[in-house]
């Protein structure tokens, strides 16, 4: 048994066999073979080694011809690795001694080496890539064409990978993938957002889990506590199985709430919306009982392909959602790219501090053609709907005025061209920087609504990168400074009579629901899977109680006290919820 | 890498040790892991017909790169 601590990004428990993906998405089909097959496995390994050797020799030849002899030298090194006596001694020991399948022996032994190199001084640590290269080559020659992707799985699995690309997560077989564990990433990584959207337990930031885990290992993902257990002992397994059963029962009990309104027990109406990243998630939001879309992220249009999306790509993606929500609120957020690794890896010169760099509205204001294309598509798609548009990451009124001026230009163009559009669609902003929060009374007079983005607001207020495991524990909404900002933003909305919603993660964290109600929040936009739970809390509390909780919390001055108090309150309303 | 290549040219059994662990000098994996830290004193132990020649060649090779060396022929 091995317990590894990471960052829990999507709550819940999943127990299944691991599919360990490397860059080429190999999955070890089986770990062990019958005793009398050891010789056959050794023969398979010899054959795969011989084929690999030929491939490398061919590569060396080509490289020497096309580039030069020196560069081809790397393949001499690969040949030495491939034929290493010690390596084959260990492969043989595993196959003969432990009845390992050849693939399993190769993966286990080489990953063990990779791990050893990983901890060495830099010049040797880089050798990890060569070890992985040899592993991939041997596995490809052992497994042949039976390369497994996540699209068609035959059994329930937990996916273990260094990282998952948007295309990998998009193609994932949702029937059979029960949980996700990846080496890199933080709360706001793409994988985290997708996992939460699907309601899959997920842990990220596990560093070298892929080196420790082998395909077929039994693995427990505890997304609530950010823990992964490899090959659990019987007691641990039983404990988690019990927890998983309770989780299923609890989720079923929430189904009954689907068609009931999100109204407090003393009759105060709350608007409960869903956040989506892909159009197809709209159905999930409605199915979970969400009343509309409070945050439609549009980055997928850019991340999924190598070319910039056309106006029609934008338009179609918006219509797809709006057609499903003809008379419901749909808030489309303009492009929020910049700090993510996709943009950074494509940038000519990566920014030194992308979170404080050219991202979101700043990026849009410097890339006007792309920004105008998106605004055009939104204005056109919004005709006859309740769609609205939202700008992210504002820090000054000037940015808002610029964005609105661009929008007016676009409307003029459309009207001149005689293209039908919705010039009066509501325009709001994400309040997610301390500077916007502190100027909320001024902003409130120039926009139609606010939506509070808590992830960035907390990050910038507390100066914490929660993807950095060394400081991630400092990232909390329970900080008095953060709560003070939330209170002010909601008050500004009340003063100028504009709706205030919250689409950040705090809105979907059941611990904060009562407090947020008490602070005056009336619109919650949450990840689809969290809708039933949040609804249950709203329906179970009176506004009087919520106000009392808020009054009490705003008098506390330590995160620990606030956390404990909120947790205690939540357990009164939602005793079944499994939390840390 | 060159170290292992040279070792592989000799028929003798060659072991290289860092004082706590002794590994096959002809295994690149083992040698790389052993040679992880600079400043380690390595001992070469060769056994066979061409043992002395092997040890001499290896010591000559790494004297510059790995720092101090001792050799021992059995």
């Amino acid at each position: 048994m091995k317990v590894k601590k990471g960052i829990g990004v999507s709550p819940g428990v999943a127990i299944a066999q691991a599919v360990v993906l490397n860059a080429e998405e190999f999955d070890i089909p089986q770990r062990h073979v019958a005793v009398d097959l050891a010789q056959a496995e050794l023969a398979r390994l010899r054959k795969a080694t011989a084929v690999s050797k030929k491939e490398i020799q061919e590569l060396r030849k080509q490289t020497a011809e096309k580039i030069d002899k020196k560069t081809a030298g790397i393949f001499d090194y690969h040949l030495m690795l491939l034929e290493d006596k010690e390596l084959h001694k260990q492969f043989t020991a595993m196959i003969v001694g432990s009845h390992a399948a050849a693939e399993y022996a190769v993966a286990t032994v080489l990953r063990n080496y990779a791990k050893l190199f990983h901890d060495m001084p830099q010049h040797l640590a880089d050798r990890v890539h060569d070890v992985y290269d040899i592993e991939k080559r041997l596995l490809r020659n052992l497994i042949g064409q039976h390369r497994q992707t996540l699209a068609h799985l035959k059994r329930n699995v937990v996916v273990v990978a260094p990282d998952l690309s948007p295309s990998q997560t998009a193609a994932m077989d949702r029937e059979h993938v029960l949980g996700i564990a990846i080496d890199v990433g933080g709360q706001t990584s793409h994988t985290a957002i997708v996992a939460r959207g699907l309601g899959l337990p997920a842990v990220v930031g596990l560093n070298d889990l892929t080196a420790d885990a082998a395909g077929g290992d039994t693995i427990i993902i505890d997304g609530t506590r950010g823990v992964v257990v490899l090959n659990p002992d019987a007691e641990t397994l039983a404990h988690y199985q019990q927890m998983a059963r309770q989780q299923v029962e609890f989720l079923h009990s929430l189904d009954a709430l689907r068609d009931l309104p999100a109204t407090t027990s003393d009759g105060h109406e709350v608007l409960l919306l869903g956040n989506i990243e892909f159009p197809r998630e709209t159905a999930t939001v409605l199915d979970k009982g969400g009343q509309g879309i409070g945050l439609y992220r549009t980055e997928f249009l850019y991340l999924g392909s190598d070319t910039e999306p056309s106006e029609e790509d934008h338009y179609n993606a918006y219509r797809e959602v709006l057609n499903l929500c003809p008379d419901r609120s749909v808030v489309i957020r303009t492009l929020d790219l910049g700090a993510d690794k996709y943009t950074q890896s494509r940038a000519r010169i990566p920014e030194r501090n992308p979170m404080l760099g050219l991202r979101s509205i700043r990026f849009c204001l410097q890339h006007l053609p792309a920004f105008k294309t998106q605004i055009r598509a939104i204005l056109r798609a919004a005709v006859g709907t309740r769609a609205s548009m939202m700008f992210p990451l504002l820090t000054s009124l000037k940015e808002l005025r610029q964005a609105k001026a661009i929008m007016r230009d676009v409307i003029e163009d459309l009207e001149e061209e005689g293209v039908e559009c919705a010039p009066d669609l509501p325009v709001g902003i994400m309040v997610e920087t301390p500077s916007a929060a502190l100027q909320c009374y001024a902003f409130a007079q120039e926009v139609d609504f606010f939506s509070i983005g808590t992830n960035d607001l907390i990050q910038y207020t507390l100066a914490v990168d929660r993807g950095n495991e060394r400081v991630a524990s400092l990232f909390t909404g329970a900080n008095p400074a953060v709560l003070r900002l939330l209170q002010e933003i909601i008050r500004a909305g009340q003063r100028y009579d504009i709706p205030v919603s919250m689409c950040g993660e705090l809105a979907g964290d059941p611990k904060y629901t009562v407090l947020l109600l008490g602070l005056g929040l009336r619109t919650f936009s949450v990840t689809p899977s969290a809708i039933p739970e949040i609804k249950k809390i709203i329906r179970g509390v009176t506004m009087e109680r919520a106000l009392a909780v808020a009054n009490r919390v705003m008098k506390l001055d330590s995160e620990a006290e606030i956390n404990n108090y909120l947790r205690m309150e939540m357990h009164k309303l939602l005793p079944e919820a499994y939390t840390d | 890498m060159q170290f292992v290549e040279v070792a592989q040219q000799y028929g003798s059994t060659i072991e290289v040790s860092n004082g706590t662990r002794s590994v096959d000098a002809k295994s690149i994996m083992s040698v790389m892991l052993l040679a992880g830290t600079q400043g380690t004193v390595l001992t070469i132990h060769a056994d066979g017909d061409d043992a002395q020649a092997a040890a001499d060649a290896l010591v000559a090779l790494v004297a510059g790169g790995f720092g101090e060396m001792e050799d021992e022929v059995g």
Side-chain angles (χ1 to χ4, degrees):
Chain A
M1 181 165 95
K2 187 155 195 172
V3 180
K4 295 192 71 97
K5 185 94 181 86
I7 304 166
V9 294
S10 181
V13 171
I15 307 168
Q17 287 198 324
V19 169
V20 182
L21 301 181
N22 57 28
E24 287 199 25
E25 302 185 17
F26 285 115
D27 170 32
I28 312 289
Q30 58 175 358
R31 302 172 66 192
H32 295 287
V33 293
V35 182
D36 52 355
L37 284 176
Q39 287 309 316
E41 288 300 299
L42 286 176
R44 285 181 64 224
L45 180 60
R46 272 195 301 274
K47 196 175 157 211
T49 307
V51 173
S52 301
K53 192 176 154 184
K54 272 200 191 120
E55 288 173 357
I56 297 173
Q57 283 166 338
E58 181 57 30
L59 276 171
R60 181 179 58 183
K61 194 170 139 238
Q62 285 175 9
T63 310
E65 284 165 10
K66 285 187 194 149
I67 309 171
D68 56 43
K69 277 230 166 75
K70 193 162 170 285
T71 313
I74 183 72
F75 295 111
D76 285 320
Y77 173 62
H78 280 194
L79 281 175
M80 284 179 78
L81 283 179
L82 188 66
E83 299 185 312
D84 192 274
K85 284 197 320 195
E86 182 57 33
L87 211 55
H88 282 272
K89 212 191 277 176
Q90 292 186 29
F91 291 156
T92 309
M94 270 199 77
I95 292 172
V96 176
S98 322
H99 318 301
E103 295 90 341
Y104 184 54
V106 165
T108 309
V109 170
L110 284 172
R111 271 163 202 239
N112 192 26
Y113 270 110
K115 217 168 134 57
L116 291 172
F117 282 123
H118 193 81
D119 299 334
M120 304 281 274
Q122 193 56 44
H123 65 289
L124 283 167
D126 291 340
R127 295 274 81 91
V128 168
H129 303 293
D130 300 306
V131 175
Y132 279 135
D133 202 88
I134 293 295
E135 184 202 0
K136 263 185 257 178
R137 192 174 296 285
L138 278 172
L139 287 182
R140 193 178 59 240
N141 286 321
L142 279 167
I143 301 170
Q145 294 310 307
H146 303 292
R147 244 173 74 175
Q148 190 169 10
T149 66
L150 298 177
H152 305 286
L153 297 163
K154 288 182 198 69
R155 53 187 160 87
N156 289 342
V157 299
V158 159
V159 175
V160 177
D163 194 6
L164 288 172
S165 67
S167 62
Q168 281 175 312
T169 42
M172 219 154 54
D173 175 348
R174 276 127 205 242
E175 286 278 299
H176 290 103
V177 173
L178 303 188
I180 299 172
I182 59 173
D183 290 350
V184 300
Q187 285 280 3
T188 45
S189 63
H190 168 83
T191 307
I193 291 168
V194 170
R196 278 193 294 271
L198 296 173
L200 289 177
V203 179
V204 305
L206 288 154
N207 293 319
D208 55 355
L209 180 69
T210 41
D212 283 324
D217 279 350
T218 297
I219 186 165
I220 297 170
I221 294 191
D222 179 345
T224 310
R225 288 193 285 202
V227 170
V228 164
V229 188
L230 274 172
N231 296 316
D233 59 34
E235 196 188 329
T236 310
L237 187 62
H239 170 69
Y240 271 105
Q241 279 168 338
Q242 167 71 11
M243 216 131 72
R245 269 194 299 277
Q246 283 172 353
Q247 183 183 310
V248 169
E249 282 166 21
F250 174 56
L251 290 177
H252 280 309
S253 77
L254 292 176
D255 286 347
L257 298 177
R258 206 192 142 222
D259 299 318
L260 299 173
T263 307
T264 61
S265 61
D266 53 351
H268 291 265
E269 277 180 36
V270 173
L271 193 58
L272 186 51
L273 309 169
N275 297 341
I276 59 168
E277 190 179 18
F278 299 107
R280 60 162 184 272
E281 289 173 291
T282 313
T284 318
V285 171
L286 302 179
D287 188 51
K288 293 276 180 191
Q291 295 159 267
I293 308 299
L295 170 63
Y296 181 3
R297 300 182 173 94
T298 56
E299 289 72 58
F300 78 97
L301 285 160
Y302 294 80
L303 299 179
S305 89
D306 286 331
T307 52
E308 282 225 350
S310 67
E311 186 180 327
E312 285 316 294
D313 293 334
H314 279 285
Y315 178 83
N316 291 334
Y318 305 146
R319 283 308 314 181
E320 190 179 342
V321 172
L322 290 165
N323 287 343
L324 287 171
C325 303
D327 47 9
R328 296 168 188 266
S329 173
V330 174
V331 182
I332 304 174
R333 182 178 69 186
T334 59
L335 186 59
D336 188 20
L337 274 184
D340 55 284
K341 67 176 185 172
Y342 299 99
T343 322
Q344 287 299 315
S345 65
R346 283 173 197 189
R348 212 154 31 90
I349 306 161
E351 291 178 303
R352 279 179 58 189
N353 199 343
M355 277 299 173
L356 304 181
L358 185 65
R359 58 173 298 212
S360 272
I361 193 74
R362 303 170 181 176
F363 180 89
C364 290
L365 292 174
Q366 288 196 23
H367 293 80
L368 284 187
F371 193 34
K372 283 187 165 181
T373 302
Q374 177 166 38
I375 294 176
R376 267 181 78 100
I378 293 173
L379 287 166
R380 282 176 52 211
V383 173
T385 70
R386 291 185 50 208
S388 50
M389 177 159 64
M390 173 162 82
F391 300 126
L393 206 81
L394 287 113
T395 52
S396 72
L397 284 159
K398 186 177 152 215
E399 287 167 329
L400 173 65
R401 289 170 188 160
Q402 276 181 309
K404 287 180 88 167
I406 291 161
M407 181 182 160
R408 277 193 300 274
D409 283 351
V410 173
I411 292 171
E412 256 175 49
D413 289 348
L414 285 167
E415 284 174 346
E416 264 172 39
E417 293 166 34
V419 177
E420 201 186 3
C421 70
D424 299 323
L425 103 162
V427 176
I429 59 164
M430 295 270 292
V431 184
E432 53 185 340
T433 59
S435 52
L438 292 167
Q439 300 176 82
C440 56
Y441 289 91
F443 273 112
Q445 298 171 61
E446 299 195 20
V447 296
D448 300 313
F449 64 91
F450 281 160
S451 187
I452 306 173
T454 52
N455 301 357
D456 276 335
L457 186 61
I458 295 171
Q459 153 168 283
Y460 291 129
T461 304
L462 303 182
V464 172
D465 170 8
R466 72 169 157 180
N468 178 344
E469 66 269 28
R470 285 185 272 182
V471 293
S473 61
L474 299 176
F475 186 99
T476 171
N479 179 287
V482 173
L483 296 178
R484 198 71 62 202
L485 291 179
L486 297 182
Q487 188 177 40
E488 281 306 300
I489 300 164
I490 295 167
R491 278 185 185 160
Q494 290 167 342
R495 159 97 71 92
Y496 291 100
D497 199 24
I498 60 168
V500 178
S501 82
M502 181 180 287
C503 61
E505 246 164 65
L506 234 51
D509 184 338
K511 204 169 71 185
Y512 290 93
T513 312
V514 173
L515 167 65
L516 294 171
L517 283 171
L519 289 176
L521 192 74
R522 291 294 175 273
T523 306
F524 291 68
S525 189
V526 307
T527 192
S529 59
I531 292 172
E533 211 172 67
I534 300 300
K535 191 190 271 186
K536 177 156 180 167
I537 293 194
I538 293 170
R539 291 180 56 82
V541 73
T542 61
M543 198 51 77
E544 193 190 347
R545 181 70 205 149
L547 283 168
V549 167
N551 276 333
R552 170 85 188 273
V553 168
M554 295 313 280
K555 290 195 184 82
L556 299 175
D557 59 6
S558 94
E559 290 171 14
E561 271 181 296
I562 294 171
N563 251 319
N564 289 337
Y565 178 66
L566 290 179
R567 195 172 294 142
M568 206 177 68
E569 283 297 311
M570 183 195 65
H571 276 293
K572 287 185 197 160
L573 292 163
L574 204 68
E576 312 91 325
Y578 164 52
T579 52
D580 53 345
Chain B
M1 180 168 141
Q2 222 183 337
F3 180 87
V4 178
E5 276 176 322
V6 170
Q8 286 178 348
Q9 290 164 11
Y10 295 91
S12 296
T13 308
I14 308 169
E15 289 196 336
V16 55
S17 158
N18 64 357
T20 49
R21 233 156 35 88
S22 184
V23 302
D24 183 351
K26 297 179 186 179
S27 162
I28 186 154
M29 283 288 199
S30 312
V31 172
M32 280 199 305
L33 287 177
L34 192 76
T37 40
Q38 282 186 333
T40 316
V41 176
L42 295 176
T43 308
I44 294 168
H45 185 105
D47 198 359
D49 291 344
D50 50 9
Q52 186 62 56
D56 289 346
L58 290 171
V59 170
L61 177 69
V62 298
F66 288 86
E68 290 174 61
M69 288 292 294
E70 292 166 14
D71 70 318
E72 178 188 311
V73 179

